[in-house]
Amino acid sequence: MDQKTIDEVRRILETEPPMLFLGAGFSVGSSNEHGDIPLGDGLKREIIEQFIEGKAAEEEKKEVEQYELQDVCQYVDDSLKNYTQLRDFLVERLQNVKPAEFHYKLSRYPWKKIYTVNIDDLVEAVYRKNKENLLVQNQPSQKKKETDQDLEYIKLHGCVNGLREELVFSRKEYSNLISGRMNFKLNDLVHDIQYENFLFIGASLDEADIDSYVTKYEQAGYFRKGKMIFVDPKPTIRFKNRVKAFSGILLEWTAEQFMAFLETVRYDPDEQAKCVKRLNYSGIHLYQDIIGSMDQKEVYESRLYEGYNCEWRDVLENWLFESPYFEELKRRIGRIDYGEGNTYCVALYGNRLVGKGCLLKQIGAWLYGGGCTVLEFKGKSLDPRRLFEFMQIDKGNQYVLLIEDASFNYKVIEKMYRENNTGKKLLVITTSRNYYHLKKRYYLEGNPYEDYEVKDKLNYPYAQIIYRKLSEKGYLGSLPRQENQGCAEITKYKILCNLFVEITYGKYFEKRVQDSLNDLLEDYSEQSLRLFKELTLFDQIDLPYYPSEMLTARYSIDFNCFHEAGTEKISASEEVIVDFVRVDAEGVTLKNQVMLDQVWKHTTLEEKREMVLDVLKYIAPYFSENDNNYWRMIFESFLKEDILENKLHFKLEDILQLFYQLKEEYGEISYYWLQMGIVEQRRKDYAKALNHLQMAKSIRPRSYQIQHAIARNYLKQANYTEDLAEAEALFKIGEKKMFELINSHEYYKNKAKSFSVHCYVLEEIRYLKKHDRKISNDDIRKMKRLIDSILDIRNDYINGLLN
């Protein structure tokens, strides 16, 4: 092991704390009243002596002695029926650990987070003795940090101080852990291992559990961001070769030797620097840091006109068009009135490829130039606490947070209105596609906000701006060299993406797309073709990207073909991917509307059904109903009855069949039962619908959405049945439940009041018509009062109600 390797590890540790991963080897040297804490083979021998010696036939015992630890535990569970006794033994054997002297050095370095497969309480003893904060995640549900000084210690395989049923020792328990629904611990690990530096101590790649976790890192390939460092005194040749293959670092030290080295590491940033690191880990980055990290000496050629996402370098080097929307947005921001609060939101929305992302970055750079502290969120789960913590200690007084594809974060933004107690102004500027913005914006209603639709209309004045910029950058392509002729030509394209297609690929682009699809078929690349179809499916559902974690796990495509050095010898299918797929930090999308349209034409309804089922089954382990992140966004979009029927053109029977195939994965999720209830409601099977909706309510009894659907189901059933007495009884139940929602003072029910009013008024009118009931003046006044109560709320259906 050379000094250069040691120096590199020192540089990493002194730049920013990595994640720490502890295996059984770290516990070597510790002990308790039963003796030294054993490694795997030692623990296996003790289990055989305790449970198998003298209780199994000699031949059987000899066979079991050849087993690995997990299989020995499985034998004790299944053949000897000693499940509880074995867990009791393991807890007693590995509890109340006394650390060796070198173990106490662990807490002197500020690790970002610690993961472990160990169930002993060695680390807990270290931090307790050194009086350092440690938040032990040893329960099924995640404990919340009380202070920023709390270091999370995530026990992946259970804990001697946790629940017995959470322990993972047998082969079956381990298989269930990695193949079933992921708990929050594994979810965090899968994300962190792709994006963060990791340091492993006492965890060998030759062990099956460690191997499976590191495989997640290997699968990330092109998308992985961090470095892997392993501390192992006696690595096998296979271990060495594997670490070398993914450019990891191997320190052939014992845990004790590494702890001695750790004492020489100097990492002591001030409180603000620590705060910024926590901010960055949450996915929020300062504009000034983003710009500062760029190598601006390197010659930059933008790929914006080829259909790629807008980069900050495009803004800095003036590649963007200053559209009329940019000027209007500046005027709107200049008129902002925060009222009595500290937070304001401007929500940009529009179709895909209309330049929302470019506009967001342009306005961010402009506001930074005007003295604002600008930040950008690029994570999967928005945590405002980190932002407000930064704002509290920072010296600025005007902050701007930029969020792309933000509609699923509107609920979080709404909380920010109430939680911004910093005394400083925060302007949140977001982008969203039309469908989700209009569906989710009710979270923003009633707060200081405005939305602004970005369209893609190429009129002559805008064409002049575009032409001059293209001319300046040498990108006129086949456009006429006379400005007036060029501008006239530009206006013919109607929308920007069509113009870029012409500039980048020429007049025969549609034929080229078809040829590219033929290349995929001729290259026998079913995988690449399938990827294109799944990317198109995501786009049709209005999801902004296909996540990298999902991509690398489901496809063995080498995305290193995107590196210029690697594009010399690539297959025809890889060439098509380079040509038409856009790759960024979060994942991939198809970058061209023509390719999207062509692929969609080649996608059968049966393929769409298969892909939706496959995606929903794949994401099940990652999804949690309690997390507001991108996995939830995918889940709700792919499972939503409205989208499946109207965007993908599934029949109701197909949707129902799909749902039944997902019962094992999502039977404990309220949204699953809600959507199933809505489908049955659409099929006019109101009894089944009510059963499914009641299932949803049993999981989330306070959910407005579910209570609303139940009340609506009674009203709709009343308007379906021919029996007047039955209809009257059903309508009274539905009316009572709907008025409980309308008159509720609970925050979210009151906020969603317009939906309940709209539903009730329409269903009452239908009820009166259906059963030929004369409408009284009292009924008219009642309905008018209800409508009046929501007139100050933006509602696209108000005019219909008034009519």
Side-chain angles (χ1 to χ4, degrees):
M1 184 167 53
D2 58 18
Q3 188 60 43
K4 186 178 177 183
T5 301
I6 296 171
D7 289 344
E8 185 178 359
V9 173
R10 183 186 299 280
R11 180 191 61 76
I12 291 170
L13 292 171
E14 291 185 347
T15 300
E16 183 174 356
M19 304 280 179
L20 177 65
F21 195 111
L22 301 177
F26 181 73
S27 298
V28 170
S30 63
S31 60
N32 64 6
E33 59 182 312
H34 302 290
D36 291 342
I37 298 301
L39 286 171
D41 283 343
L43 186 59
K44 183 181 85 170
R45 285 193 297 272
E46 290 186 24
I47 291 171
I48 290 172
E49 288 173 13
Q50 180 75 18
F51 291 95
I52 301 173
E53 197 78 52
K55 296 171 188 173
E58 191 61 29
E59 284 298 313
E60 198 167 322
K61 181 192 144 200
K62 284 183 180 178
E63 181 184 329
V64 173
E65 285 175 337
Q66 305 307 310
Y67 290 174
E68 293 181 4
L69 174 60
Q70 291 175 350
D71 298 309
V72 171
C73 291
Q74 193 67 57
Y75 173 82
V76 174
D77 289 350
D78 294 345
S79 299
L80 303 181
K81 310 298 181 189
N82 279 334
Y83 172 89
T84 303
Q85 295 90 327
L86 175 57
R87 271 68 193 169
D88 290 342
F89 167 78
L90 291 168
V91 168
E92 185 176 342
R93 182 65 187 88
L94 300 172
Q95 200 169 38
N96 299 320
V97 172
K98 181 182 177 184
E101 195 59 38
F102 74 86
H103 286 129
Y104 288 106
K105 298 172 184 176
L106 180 72
S107 68
R108 293 170 193 166
Y109 181 81
W111 305 101
K112 186 174 283 186
K113 192 187 286 185
I114 304 178
Y115 288 95
T116 188
V117 291
N118 302 339
I119 73 164
D120 63 47
D121 54 5
L122 166 65
V123 172
E124 292 92 316
V126 167
Y127 278 78
R128 185 168 54 247
K129 176 73 181 293
N130 290 341
K131 297 181 179 177
E132 298 280 359
N133 292 355
L134 188 71
L135 180 62
V136 183
Q137 298 287 8
N138 60 2
Q139 299 295 324
S141 56
Q142 189 168 15
K143 301 173 189 172
K144 297 298 181 186
K145 284 187 174 187
E146 293 183 8
T147 71
D148 288 319
Q149 281 65 50
D150 288 342
L151 169 66
E152 275 194 289
Y153 180 38
I154 298 183
K155 308 198 81 166
L156 297 166
H157 290 183
C159 176
V160 292
N161 298 317
L163 302 172
R164 296 290 196 275
E165 55 267 29
E166 288 283 299
L167 298 178
V168 177
F169 266 89
S170 71
R171 180 72 61 188
K172 183 178 179 182
E173 287 166 336
Y174 175 70
S175 297
N176 288 343
L177 179 72
I178 62 171
S179 63
R181 179 175 295 284
M182 282 198 193
N183 54 43
F184 75 91
K185 303 170 197 173
L186 281 179
N187 227 332
D188 282 1
L189 176 63
V190 167
H191 175 271
D192 288 342
I193 210 162
Q194 295 196 34
Y195 292 95
E196 302 291 332
N197 292 324
F198 260 77
L199 192 146
F200 289 75
I201 305 179
S204 171
L205 283 174
D206 297 326
E207 298 168 28
D209 48 1
I210 309 300
D211 170 79
S212 72
Y213 300 141
V214 173
T215 297
K216 299 289 186 187
Y217 174 80
E218 290 174 311
Q219 287 174 336
Y222 175 88
F223 298 95
R224 60 186 180 227
K225 299 291 182 274
K227 198 82 171 171
M228 288 281 201
I229 305 167
F230 292 88
V231 177
D232 191 309
K234 296 178 180 178
T236 62
I237 295 172
R238 185 173 64 176
F239 185 177
K240 289 179 181 179
N241 288 338
R242 192 169 171 192
V243 173
K244 184 178 179 181
F246 54 69
S247 303
I249 300 172
L250 180 60
L251 296 173
E252 295 185 36
W253 284 342
T254 63
E256 184 171 5
Q257 287 173 311
F258 179 78
M259 287 295 128
F261 164 75
L262 191 63
E263 278 197 303
T264 70
V265 171
R266 297 290 172 261
Y267 176 79
D268 189 26
D270 60 31
E271 193 52 46
Q272 178 146 357
K274 290 179 185 176
C275 178
V276 170
K277 290 184 185 299
R278 289 193 291 269
L279 186 73
N280 292 344
Y281 179 61
S282 75
I284 301 173
H285 298 269
L286 283 157
Y287 171 85
Q288 64 198 51
D289 292 345
I290 296 170
I291 300 308
S293 66
M294 293 177 183
D295 182 4
Q296 296 188 35
K297 293 178 183 177
E298 183 183 327
V299 176
Y300 179 71
E301 189 70 14
S302 174
R303 304 192 72 180
L304 182 66
Y305 306 154
E306 297 173 41
Y308 279 81
N309 280 339
C310 177
E311 301 291 341
W312 281 111
R313 194 86 182 260
D314 296 324
V315 182
L316 284 181
E317 302 204 6
N318 206 23
W319 284 85
L320 273 61
F321 315 128
E322 291 202 356
S323 74
Y325 292 102
F326 180 45
E327 295 303 319
E328 173 61 20
L329 186 55
K330 288 195 286 187
R331 283 192 290 273
R332 284 175 177 243
I333 288 172
R335 298 195 302 261
I336 281 175
D337 179 6
Y338 285 84
E340 296 179 2
N342 292 319
T343 304
Y344 195 94
C345 178
V346 176
L348 309 175
Y349 70 101
N351 292 323
R352 72 182 304 278
L353 300 175
V354 297
K356 301 184 297 295
C358 294
L359 188 56
L360 187 72
K361 282 185 165 62
Q362 269 183 309
I363 205 69
W366 178 73
L367 286 165
Y368 178 78
C372 296
T373 303
V374 177
L375 306 102
E376 181 182 37
F377 172 67
K378 295 294 281 185
K380 282 191 168 63
S381 184
L382 179 60
D383 183 359
R385 294 173 303 168
R386 294 296 175 218
L387 174 63
F388 294 143
E389 175 198 16
F390 168 75
M391 287 170 61
Q392 283 280 20
I393 66 173
D394 188 62
K395 293 178 180 176
N397 54 29
Q398 178 69 61
Y399 296 82
V400 178
L401 177 64
L402 310 175
I403 311 175
E404 281 197 74
D405 303 306
S407 54
F408 276 77
N409 278 310
Y410 284 173
K411 186 174 182 179
V412 181
I413 293 169
E414 185 201 29
K415 288 183 180 177
M416 294 167 72
Y417 285 107
R418 304 194 301 273
E419 294 175 0
N420 182 5
N421 299 317
T422 61
K424 299 177 180 182
K425 301 302 181 187
L426 171 65
L427 172 60
V428 183
I429 309 178
T430 68
T431 68
S432 296
R433 293 197 191 180
N434 286 344
Y435 178 85
Y436 290 114
H437 171 72
L438 298 175
K439 287 284 184 183
K440 300 283 184 181
R441 72 177 175 193
Y442 69 89
Y443 283 115
L444 304 177
E445 303 287 359
N447 295 297
Y449 104 101
E450 61 187 275
D451 54 9
Y452 180 36
E453 185 176 7
V454 181
K455 296 181 180 177
D456 198 6
K457 190 174 181 181
L458 294 179
N459 56 24
Y460 194 86
Y462 191 18
Q464 284 184 304
I465 295 169
I466 293 168
Y467 185 90
R468 289 166 187 171
K469 179 62 65 179
L470 292 174
S471 178
E472 175 194 331
K473 296 297 184 182
Y475 263 83
L476 285 175
S478 60
L479 289 172
R481 293 310 183 256
Q482 295 296 319
E483 182 176 316
N484 59 342
Q485 294 175 15
C487 292
E489 188 74 17
I490 287 171
T491 57
K492 292 179 185 177
Y493 289 100
K494 309 293 185 191
I495 57 174
L496 271 174
C497 64
N498 289 347
L499 171 65
F500 289 155
V501 165
E502 169 70 23
I503 291 169
T504 306
Y505 299 107
K507 292 185 183 232
Y508 303 104
F509 179 65
E510 287 201 35
K511 183 179 183 304
R512 182 175 172 185
V513 168
Q514 189 57 57
D515 290 343
S516 296
L517 288 174
N518 291 336
D519 285 342
L520 290 180
L521 294 169
E522 289 171 12
D523 204 31
Y524 301 106
S525 182
E526 287 183 22
Q527 188 177 208
S528 298
L529 193 58
R530 171 85 172 187
L531 172 61
F532 272 57
K533 288 181 177 181
E534 287 199 351
L535 295 183
T536 307
L537 179 66
F538 267 64
D539 184 81
Q540 290 292 326
I541 291 175
D542 274 329
L543 287 166
Y545 60 87
Y546 191 101
S548 58
E549 299 97 321
M550 189 168 157
L551 180 75
T552 54
R554 285 166 61 81
Y555 291 96
S556 57
I557 296 166
D558 181 8
F559 276 84
N560 285 308
C561 60
F562 278 88
H563 292 307
E564 287 186 22
T567 55
E568 293 175 8
K569 295 180 181 178
I570 60 177
S571 67
S573 59
E574 287 175 327
E575 194 173 328
V576 175
I577 289 171
V578 170
D579 227 3
F580 296 107
V581 171
R582 178 170 64 201
V583 178
D584 58 26
E586 283 78 33
V588 297
T589 55
L590 282 179
K591 63 183 181 181
N592 190 279
Q593 186 65 50
V594 179
M595 176 58 99
L596 285 163
D597 293 341
Q598 288 287 345
V599 172
W600 198 238
K601 285 178 187 175
H602 284 75
T603 309
T604 66
L605 191 61
E606 183 58 35
E607 286 176 318
K608 293 172 192 175
R609 286 196 292 260
E610 286 177 11
M611 288 190 292
V612 169
L613 180 64
D614 287 351
V615 167
L616 284 167
K617 279 184 174 285
Y618 177 79
I619 68 165
Y622 298 90
F623 167 74
S624 168
E625 200 160 26
N626 297 320
D627 293 336
N628 193 65
N629 57 21
Y630 195 59
W631 298 115
R632 180 172 176 177
M633 184 174 172
I634 295 172
F635 166 76
E636 290 188 0
S637 300
F638 269 81
L639 204 72
K640 192 171 179 62
E641 173 272 333
D642 172 40
I643 289 175
L644 294 173
E645 185 179 15
N646 297 319
K647 286 181 177 284
L648 303 187
H649 309 296
F650 288 8
K651 294 178 181 176
L652 291 175
E653 289 72 20
D654 294 333
I655 298 172
L656 207 54
Q657 187 61 35
L658 170 72
F659 286 176
Y660 283 129
Q661 289 176 278
L662 294 165
K663 188 173 180 180
E664 185 178 340
E665 286 80 8
Y666 296 111
E668 296 177 5
I669 303 298
S670 72
Y671 191 82
Y672 165 80
W673 290 107
L674 171 65
Q675 292 303 312
M676 189 179 273
I678 291 171
V679 173
E680 292 289 15
Q681 203 176 80
R682 293 286 321 284
R683 294 176 73 241
K684 297 183 169 50
D685 193 335
Y686 297 104
K688 275 189 182 177
L690 183 60
N691 173 70
H692 299 331
L693 296 172
Q694 294 287 12
M695 286 288 291
K697 188 180 178 185
S698 70
I699 298 168
R700 295 184 69 198
R702 298 190 53 159
S703 165
Y704 160 79
Q705 213 175 359
I706 295 167
Q707 291 178 53
H708 175 87
I710 290 172
R712 185 170 178 252
N713 195 69
Y714 279 109
L715 296 175
K716 283 193 165 294
Q717 189 174 3
N719 287 330
Y720 179 69
T721 184
E722 298 297 332
D723 185 293
L724 182 57
E726 182 186 3
E728 192 171 336
L730 288 167
F731 197 86
K732 280 184 178 177
I733 296 171
E735 183 177 47
K736 181 174 182 290
K737 290 181 177 295
M738 197 62 83
F739 269 91
E740 285 172 0
L741 295 174
I742 290 170
N743 296 324
S744 173
H745 294 294
E746 287 184 46
Y747 181 74
Y748 282 111
K749 288 177 184 174
N750 188 51
K751 194 165 185 60
K753 180 178 178 178
S754 61
F755 293 97
S756 298
V757 168
H758 179 256
C759 175
Y760 174 75
V761 171
L762 285 185
E763 293 302 334
E764 180 167 18
I765 291 169
R766 286 172 184 154
Y767 175 75
L768 294 167
K769 285 182 177 179
K770 163 87 177 177
H771 299 289
D772 200 23
R773 306 295 294 270
K774 187 177 179 182
I775 187 164
S776 69
N777 288 334
D778 286 344
D779 281 333
I780 293 173
R781 290 190 190 99
K782 177 180 68 177
M783 286 192 278
K784 182 62 167 58
R785 281 196 301 271
L786 288 173
I787 295 170
D788 286 344
S789 72
I790 61 169
L791 281 178
D792 61 336
I793 300 171
R794 286 182 64 174
N795 187 313
D796 297 330
Y797 305 105
I798 287 288
N799 288 336
L801 282 183
L802 288 170
N803 289 336

